[in-house]
Amino acid sequence: MQTYRLGKTGPEVSAIGLGCMGMSGMYGPSDRAESIATIHAALDAGVNLLDTGDFYGMGHNEMLIGDALKGRRRENAILSVKFGALRDPASGWNGIDARPAAVKNFLAYTLQRLGVDYIDIYRPARLDANVPIEDTVGAIADMVKAGYVRHIGLSEVGADTIRRAAAVAPIVDLQIEYSLISRGIEEKILPTTRELGISITAYGVLSRGLISGHWQKGQAAAGDFRTHSPRFQEGNIEQNLALVERLREIAQAKSVSVAQIAIAWVAAKGGDIVPIIGARRRDRLTEALGSRAVDLSAEDFAAIERAVPKDAAAGGRYPEQMLKHMDSER
């Protein structure tokens, strides 16, 4: 597995990371044994970057990863953790808390649930509009000095916030959505991270399964985030799946899968971009890893652009009420 250094001072991570959110209910029920087997298969294949959030399943995801890592060498896993999102007992969302005191509180619980002594990359899940980013990053920097955190990351913030954060402490990566149908970072955010020497860990490269080549209309079950996602709604899903079929023609011509084309497209955008694949099963992980063998020519890129032009997707990547609170969308 090829590796890349995150940012100027970050860890060496695999060219593909494993996003573990879907193993804790965000996309409906998942199989615990298969989830752990998938994490093991990823580690055995050389995938060392495991991404989670302390609010995924209200701690369930961290405990799941902790169980999967038992008996494994700690240094073989790069744990990337998001914090700050507030949940309620009904699984509702209650905003973001990134106050310095909250940073240390969240971290203490994360260390316990994962069963580790330190977190490799720690990041606020979103910008807390009530707390200067300097204060949040400063608190994480204190935890770096104390040995509980190795590196600092950001998530879903805009260019100005990135600059302010980087002025306080080294930032190794920005985790943000990037895919064929979510290219918003290309205008301001990506040029800023490249100027500052900050990597991108790209989630949503298959747009939550929408452009995986496996999704069918009406597939989302109760409790699945996608039942509320604009791109999966009636009137939008049809247009978006039509884009997938155009992509399928290109994939078939190269004897690869739609998902492999979509992942390879993101990976080919630069060595400073690491796709995070949200595989919940070993077969999906195997398919994603196969994208490493997909070589896209200039002609392929042109064909992909014709099939899925920028801004071709119908519907936003999150519901409007969520987008208006996201710093990366400003």
Side-chain angles (χ1 to χ4, degrees):
M1 174 65 69
Q2 186 175 3
T3 62
Y4 297 99
R5 181 171 298 281
L6 287 185
K8 297 176 181 178
T9 61
E12 286 280 333
V13 301
S14 48
I16 286 180
L18 179 64
C20 300
M21 181 182 76
M23 299 175 182
S24 295
M26 294 295 289
Y27 296 140
S30 60
D31 183 278
R32 177 182 177 80
E34 181 62 24
S35 295
I36 290 177
T38 301
I39 294 172
H40 287 167
L43 292 169
D44 292 342
V47 174
N48 68 348
L49 180 59
L50 303 180
D51 183 76
T52 185
D54 62 11
F55 49 93
Y56 293 167
M58 285 71 79
H60 174 277
N61 204 237
E62 290 180 326
M63 291 188 287
L64 178 76
I65 293 172
D67 285 345
L69 292 179
K70 288 177 180 176
R72 298 266 172 163
R73 295 179 63 183
R74 169 67 182 89
E75 59 269 27
N76 288 347
I78 302 297
L79 298 176
S80 168
V81 181
K82 292 179 291 297
F83 70 89
L86 303 176
R87 307 290 299 270
D88 64 27
S91 299
W93 300 89
N94 285 324
I96 296 290
D97 187 353
R99 294 170 300 140
V103 170
K104 298 170 186 179
N105 178 78
F106 287 132
L107 177 59
Y109 282 83
T110 281
L111 292 168
Q112 181 70 25
R113 285 189 290 255
L114 283 166
V116 297
D117 297 324
Y118 66 90
I119 301 302
D120 296 277
I121 312 168
Y122 203 50
R123 71 185 82 242
R126 297 288 186 270
L127 179 68
D128 185 339
N130 299 312
V131 180
I133 191 63
E134 292 87 349
D135 292 355
T136 302
V137 170
I140 305 175
D142 288 344
M143 296 294 92
V144 172
K145 292 175 183 176
Y148 297 116
V149 172
R150 294 285 174 86
H151 306 282
I152 305 172
L154 298 171
S155 178
E156 286 289 356
V157 292
D160 290 344
T161 300
I162 296 168
R163 290 186 186 281
R164 290 170 53 194
V168 175
I171 305 297
V172 299
D173 74 317
L174 169 69
Q175 187 175 116
I176 196 164
E177 186 168 359
Y178 187 45
S179 72
L180 270 168
I181 61 173
S182 296
R183 305 192 209 176
I185 72 170
E186 294 176 343
E187 183 178 352
K188 294 181 180 179
I189 292 174
L190 187 54
T192 299
T193 57
R194 285 179 167 164
E195 175 192 338
L196 298 174
I198 297 170
S199 295
I200 296 288
T201 43
Y203 76 88
V205 295
L206 297 178
S207 199
R208 297 170 180 82
L210 179 58
I211 58 172
S212 67
H214 303 298
W215 187 262
Q216 297 178 3
K217 181 180 176 181
Q219 189 173 326
D224 192 322
F225 165 83
R226 291 167 290 199
T227 60
H228 306 290
S229 175
R231 289 178 175 170
F232 290 84
Q233 302 306 305
E234 190 79 26
N236 291 338
I237 187 65
E238 297 84 0
Q239 179 177 327
N240 294 331
L241 289 179
L243 297 175
V244 176
E245 291 311 305
R246 295 181 205 165
L247 200 59
R248 195 184 305 277
E249 294 179 8
I250 299 170
Q252 289 175 342
K254 293 183 69 66
S255 299
V256 300
S257 73
V258 175
Q260 288 169 339
I261 284 282
I263 297 168
W265 182 91
V266 172
K269 289 297 180 174
D272 58 342
I273 299 177
V274 176
I276 303 295
I277 308 303
R280 297 192 290 172
R281 298 178 352 213
R282 284 169 286 180
D283 58 339
R284 294 290 191 250
L285 172 67
T286 299
E287 180 183 26
L289 293 177
S291 68
R292 297 296 304 157
V294 178
D295 183 26
L296 298 178
S297 66
E299 291 76 14
D300 291 330
F301 272 105
I304 291 170
E305 186 64 33
R306 288 192 298 271
V308 187
K310 186 176 182 179
D311 299 324
R317 60 192 184 98
Y318 285 98
E320 186 59 36
Q321 64 269 27
M322 294 180 69
L323 284 176
K324 68 182 181 182
H325 295 297
M326 292 174 65
D327 187 65
S328 55
E329 292 290 318
R330 293 171 185 165

